[in-house]
Amino acid sequence: MTADWLDIGWLEQIPVRGSRTVPVAGGEEIAVFRTGDNQVFALVNRCPHKGGPLSQGIVHGHSVACPLHNWNIALKTGEAQGEDKGCTPVVPVKIVSGRVLICRSSALKAAA
């Protein structure tokens, strides 16, 4: 049996106001973001607009700006903000003793 939480490394390995990616079976990636106040969020690494790689966007507050067309995506909900409409799947994440864990089953489901 496989644990449902996947350990992806130390919190300090994710740059502040930056991200890292985790590959998922099927070719998708999960983007794991660290905000300026050290909160961590995980989304499928695909903007709901044109599929831009959100992990390459600029993290500001609790949002990320897509690098292709500057859509702002809320890190907590995956929802596009402002006039834009769309949603990127969210993956539950938690920090345990400084280690970042993402929900394995949610990551697989979101990337399917």
Side-chain angles (χ1 to χ4, degrees):
M1 182 173 184
T2 303
D4 200 38
W5 291 95
L6 177 65
D7 185 334
I8 62 166
W10 294 104
L11 175 63
E12 290 76 23
Q13 293 175 318
I14 304 171
V16 175
R17 294 183 195 88
S19 67
R20 66 176 287 200
T21 59
V22 178
V24 177
E28 289 279 4
E29 290 181 326
I30 302 300
V32 182
F33 299 92
R34 180 178 174 192
T35 63
D37 60 358
N38 279 324
Q39 292 194 41
V40 179
F41 301 93
L43 302 172
V44 170
N45 191 23
R46 179 174 16 95
C47 179
H49 178 225
K50 298 281 185 178
L54 293 175
S55 63
Q56 296 178 23
I58 297 172
V59 175
H60 51 94
H62 288 176
S63 299
V64 61
C66 177
L68 295 184
H69 300 98
N70 203 33
W71 275 36
N72 288 303
I73 308 300
L75 294 173
K76 185 174 182 178
T77 64
E79 294 280 341
Q81 299 176 316
E83 297 295 318
D84 300 320
K85 302 292 179 213
C87 187
T88 297
V90 174
V91 176
V93 60
K94 65 181 180 179
I95 309 295
V96 177
S97 300
R99 303 288 295 181
V100 179
L101 298 101
I102 63 172
C103 180
R104 182 188 311 266
S105 61
S106 296
L108 291 171
K109 181 179 176 184

